[in-house]
Amino acid sequence: MREDEQQQLQTAEELMQQLRSKATELLLREEWKESVQVYTQFIDLCQSQITETKQEASQLSKLKKSLCLALSNRAEARSRLRDFDDALRDCEQALKIESSHFKALLCKGKILLSLNRYSMALDCFKETLVDAQASGSLETVNGFLEKSKKLEYQSRTGALDLSDWILNGLRGKCPELAEYIGAVQISKSEISGRGLFATKNVEAGTLFLVTKAIATERGILSGENSNENEQLVMWKNFVDKVMESISKCQRTRHLISILSSGDNEDEVEVPDVSAFRPEAEERRSSNEKLDMGKILSILDVNSLVEDAISAKVLGKNKGLYGVGLWALASFINHSCSPNARRVHVGDYIIVHASRDVKAGEEITFAYFDMLLPLKKRKEMSKSWGFHCKCKRCKFEEGMSSKQELSEIEIGLERGIDAGNAVFRLEENMKRWIVRGKEKGYLRASIWSAYAETYGSERLMKKWGKRIPAAEAVVDSVVDAVGSDERMLKVLIEGLKGSSCGMPEMERSIKLGKGLYGKLVKKQALKSLLEI
C-alpha cells in the first residue's frame, strides 16, 4: 500500500472512531434523532471504506463487524422514533453481513413485536437464544419469548382475559393485547358503501376483532365554552400523528388508502379482510394518491371518539376526551338496531357482539343514542350526514302515521306520567298486533319512560300489575337493539331491591357480556357491574 493511501486510510479510521464514539454517546443519552444522523455518517463512511479502498482481510472483517453493529444501533434508534420500516431495513442489512448477529436479531424481534407480527418476532427471539447466554441477556430474551408466545396465541384464538386487571381495580399498566380478527369479512353494504359482516352465527359477547389505533389523541376538556377550541387543537394534533405514521410506514399508508373518503361509495373496491392482519404481505407501493385533502376526508369519515354511546373506556383513559383511527373498525356502519359494541383499553379497540348475531348479518354500531324516538334519531343522523335506513327506522316510519304513538311521544315531552305512557304503548301494541323485535323497537324508542317507571316505587304501585315485568321488557329491547348500560341498570336495581334468584342473576350476567364481551370471567364481570 502506497504512503498516501496509508495516510487516507488512517484519516478515515480516525474519523470513523470519532463518529462511532459520538453516535454511541447519543444513543446512550436516548437522543434518538441525533444518533440516527451520526450513525448514518458512520455507516456511509464505513461502506465507502469497504467498497472503494483496498483492505487487508483482517481489516475488512473488522469493518464489516463495525458496520453490522452500527446498523443494529441505528435500527434501535429508528425503532424508538417509531420509524419501523427503515429500522427493519437496517436489521436486514446487518443480518446479510452476519446472519446470526445477536443485537440485529434482538432488535428485529422487538420491531416485529411492535408491529404485532408475533410469530415472526417469536422466530427472531428463538434465534437469539444461541448467543443470549454468552451476552448475559438470557433473562431479557426469555421475557420477549414468553411475551411473543402469549400474544401469538391471543392473535390466533382471540382468548383475551382482563379479569385480573379488573379485579385489581383497573390499576397499573393496561394489559398487553394482541391484534385479532375473528369470523368477519368486508362486503358491500345495503346501509352504506362497504361494511363488516359476520361469517358464522355467534352469541352475545363473542369477540369480532381487536385492533390497535394507527393514531390517537386524548386530553381533558375544561369548561363548555372552551370545548370547541380544545377539540380543534386535539384534532390538529391527531392529524399530525396520522401524517407522521403515513410517512414512516408503507403498510399504514396502504391501509389508510383503503378507507372511505365519503365519495363514490358504490365504486370503491372491497378489500379482503386479510389485508388488515399484522402479518399480511407488505405492500411496498400504492397507486392511491393521498394528498392532505384526501387524508382529511378519510379521517372525517372514519375516526372514532372513544367515549361514545356504543363504547366503554377501561383504565386510565376513562374520563378523557379521545379520538382515534382504527382501520378495520372503520368499516362498521351505523344502525339504530345495532348488534355490536366496543371496549377501549389503551390504544386498542375491542369489538364484540352485543346480542346474538347470525352468519351473513352486517355488524353495526350505534353512532348516536338509539334509545330515542324516530324523530330525534332522524335529527341525529342528519347531523352525521346520512339518513338511516335500518330495519328499525323503516318499521317505525311505517308506524309514524299512528296518532296514538305521536300522542305518547308528545305527552312524554310535556311531562305526562311515565307509567301511563308505558301502559298506553303496551295496550296499543296489542291492538296493532306488534310482535317480536318490533315490540323491542317501539319500547326502545321510549325507553326513558320504561326506566323511570321501573325505577319508581310510586309508579310501580300504580302501574306495576298493568304492564309487563321489567325482565321481559329488557329481554325484548336487548334482542332488538343489543345490550346497553341503561337496561342493565334497571335489571340490577331490581336485583338489589328484591330476593331474586339465579335466573335473574344470569340474565344480568348475559347482558353484561353484551356490554363488555367475553373479556372477563364471571367474578370480574360482577365487579364491573357492581352486583
Side-chain angles (χ1 to χ4, degrees):
M1 185 180 291
R2 292 200 317 267
E3 190 175 334
D4 59 334
E5 288 179 341
Q6 186 72 38
Q7 180 94 28
Q8 285 177 5
L9 187 58
Q10 191 173 346
T11 304
E13 284 178 357
E14 288 171 359
L15 179 56
M16 285 170 62
Q17 183 57 45
Q18 290 171 14
L19 290 170
R20 179 165 42 213
S21 298
K22 187 178 179 183
T24 304
E25 183 185 342
L26 289 167
L27 190 72
L28 292 172
R29 293 206 319 240
E30 299 186 0
E31 295 180 23
W32 312 120
K33 191 174 180 180
E34 292 78 8
S35 70
V36 167
Q37 292 170 351
V38 180
Y39 271 121
T40 299
Q41 293 177 49
F42 176 86
I43 288 165
D44 290 345
L45 185 56
C46 196
Q47 287 173 329
S48 171
Q49 288 296 300
I50 290 171
T51 58
E52 294 176 13
T53 61
K54 294 178 182 179
Q55 303 282 351
E56 294 177 7
S58 59
Q59 183 65 18
L60 191 61
S61 175
K62 187 179 175 183
L63 280 170
K64 286 184 176 180
K65 281 186 178 180
S66 296
L67 177 59
C68 199
L69 182 59
L71 286 164
S72 301
N73 285 340
R74 187 171 70 174
E76 178 70 31
R78 280 176 161 168
S79 71
R80 298 302 186 99
L81 293 167
R82 304 194 65 77
D83 191 356
F84 295 126
D85 281 3
D86 284 341
L88 269 180
R89 279 191 279 273
D90 279 347
C91 289
E92 295 294 353
Q93 202 174 340
L95 291 169
K96 280 181 183 176
I97 299 167
E98 186 182 333
S99 61
S100 60
H101 191 270
F102 175 78
K103 195 162 189 178
L105 282 169
L106 185 64
C107 187
K108 182 181 177 183
K110 289 191 292 183
I111 293 165
L112 291 169
L113 200 54
S114 296
L115 293 170
N116 302 318
R117 300 176 196 169
Y118 314 110
S119 60
M120 294 166 73
L122 190 58
D123 290 341
C124 271
F125 294 131
K126 283 178 180 176
E127 286 188 63
T128 63
L129 278 174
V130 178
D131 296 319
Q133 184 79 53
S135 64
S137 304
L138 187 59
E139 189 178 341
T140 300
V141 171
N142 279 333
F144 282 123
L145 272 170
E146 288 307 308
K147 182 177 176 180
S148 300
K149 285 176 185 175
K150 176 186 170 186
L151 295 176
E152 191 277 330
Y153 176 76
Q154 282 185 15
S155 72
R156 199 165 23 87
T157 63
L160 310 183
D161 188 358
L162 305 180
S163 300
D164 290 343
W165 182 52
I166 287 165
L167 290 171
N168 195 37
L170 305 176
R171 287 187 290 272
K173 194 178 176 183
C174 290
E176 290 177 310
L177 302 178
E179 290 210 307
Y180 166 77
I181 299 176
V184 299
Q185 67 180 24
I186 302 167
S187 298
K188 285 284 186 181
S189 168
E190 291 182 4
I191 297 173
S192 175
R194 303 162 296 181
L196 203 63
F197 292 77
T199 57
K200 68 177 185 180
N201 296 341
V202 299
E203 61 180 21
T206 300
L207 200 59
F208 285 129
L209 63 94
V210 181
T211 186
K212 191 175 184 180
I214 286 171
T216 59
E217 177 67 12
R218 301 184 183 94
I220 298 171
L221 298 181
S222 50
E224 251 180 62
N225 296 333
S226 58
N227 273 4
E228 191 173 335
N229 287 336
E230 288 171 352
Q231 286 182 33
L232 283 172
V233 171
M234 288 176 67
W235 178 258
K236 181 185 179 301
N237 293 340
F238 170 60
V239 172
D240 289 344
K241 287 181 179 180
V242 172
M243 294 300 295
E244 185 179 10
S245 294
I246 289 172
S247 69
K248 289 181 175 179
C249 182
Q250 184 63 37
R251 182 172 183 270
T252 297
R253 179 185 179 83
H254 172 61
L255 291 181
I256 289 177
S257 74
I258 292 174
L259 303 182
S260 169
S261 62
D263 298 326
N264 305 317
E265 289 288 320
D266 295 330
E267 299 172 17
V268 290
E269 178 188 348
V270 176
D272 193 289
V273 76
S274 63
F276 295 86
R277 298 187 188 280
E279 297 190 13
E281 187 178 337
E282 283 287 292
R283 289 276 297 256
R284 286 293 170 195
S285 61
S286 174
N287 295 325
E288 185 67 36
K289 190 176 179 183
L290 277 181
D291 55 31
M292 179 57 88
K294 180 75 177 283
I295 290 168
L296 288 175
S297 296
I298 288 170
L299 294 182
D300 189 47
V301 171
N302 297 283
S303 300
L304 293 172
V305 174
E306 288 181 320
D307 189 12
I309 198 73
S310 60
K312 294 293 291 182
V313 181
L314 298 181
K316 64 180 181 181
N317 297 331
K318 191 173 183 181
L320 299 180
Y321 175 84
V323 62
L325 179 65
W326 292 267
L328 185 55
S330 299
F331 286 88
I332 300 177
N333 284 313
H334 164 83
S335 172
C336 294
S337 176
N339 54 24
R341 287 184 64 87
R342 50 193 165 99
V343 175
H344 291 271
V345 176
D347 286 342
Y348 285 84
I349 189 173
I350 302 166
V351 179
H352 62 269
S354 61
R355 57 178 170 84
D356 295 347
V357 178
K358 293 179 180 178
E361 188 177 342
E362 183 168 1
I363 298 162
T364 53
F365 287 145
Y367 288 7
F368 46 80
D369 193 355
M370 75 283 190
L371 299 183
L372 292 172
L374 176 65
K375 181 183 174 183
K376 289 187 178 178
R377 298 202 314 275
K378 277 185 172 181
E379 290 171 3
M380 293 294 289
S381 65
K382 188 177 179 182
S383 71
W384 276 77
F386 65 86
H387 174 62
C388 185
K389 301 173 185 175
C390 69
K391 287 181 181 179
R392 177 184 171 192
C393 284
K394 286 178 181 177
F395 166 71
E396 289 186 44
E397 279 173 3
M399 297 292 291
S400 60
S401 60
K402 303 284 186 187
Q403 187 178 343
E404 299 92 334
L405 196 58
S406 298
E407 287 173 356
I408 291 168
E409 290 174 5
I410 291 168
L412 284 170
E413 288 176 4
R414 293 176 178 174
I416 66 162
D417 184 301
N420 182 16
V422 168
F423 173 72
R424 286 166 63 186
L425 178 63
E426 292 293 335
E427 290 300 302
N428 280 313
M429 286 196 293
K430 289 176 188 174
R431 286 197 306 105
W432 299 331
I433 318 177
V434 176
R435 296 189 176 92
K437 278 191 178 180
E438 293 172 349
K439 268 189 177 182
Y441 293 156
L442 293 179
R443 286 166 171 168
S445 291
I446 64 161
W447 175 256
S448 59
Y450 281 93
E452 185 180 341
T453 303
Y454 292 129
S456 165
E457 191 175 335
R458 177 184 64 80
L459 290 174
M460 285 303 287
K461 276 183 181 178
K462 184 176 180 180
W463 300 101
K465 292 182 180 178
R466 302 163 73 184
I467 62 174
E471 292 82 2
V473 170
V474 167
D475 283 348
S476 78
V477 176
V478 169
D479 185 51
V481 301
S483 295
D484 184 274
E485 210 162 7
R486 290 161 289 182
M487 301 169 212
L488 186 60
K489 185 179 178 183
V490 166
L491 276 187
I492 290 173
E493 288 302 316
L495 280 173
K496 290 176 179 175
S498 65
S499 55
C500 293
M502 285 305 294
E504 289 78 7
M505 178 67 77
E506 289 303 318
R507 181 181 278 109
S508 295
I509 294 293
K510 183 178 179 181
L511 186 50
K513 285 180 180 176
L515 273 178
Y516 293 98
K518 296 178 181 179
L519 303 172
V520 293
K521 292 171 184 170
K522 188 178 285 188
Q523 196 57 41
L525 185 56
K526 283 184 178 181
S527 172
L528 279 173
L529 303 179
E530 298 179 357
I531 57 176

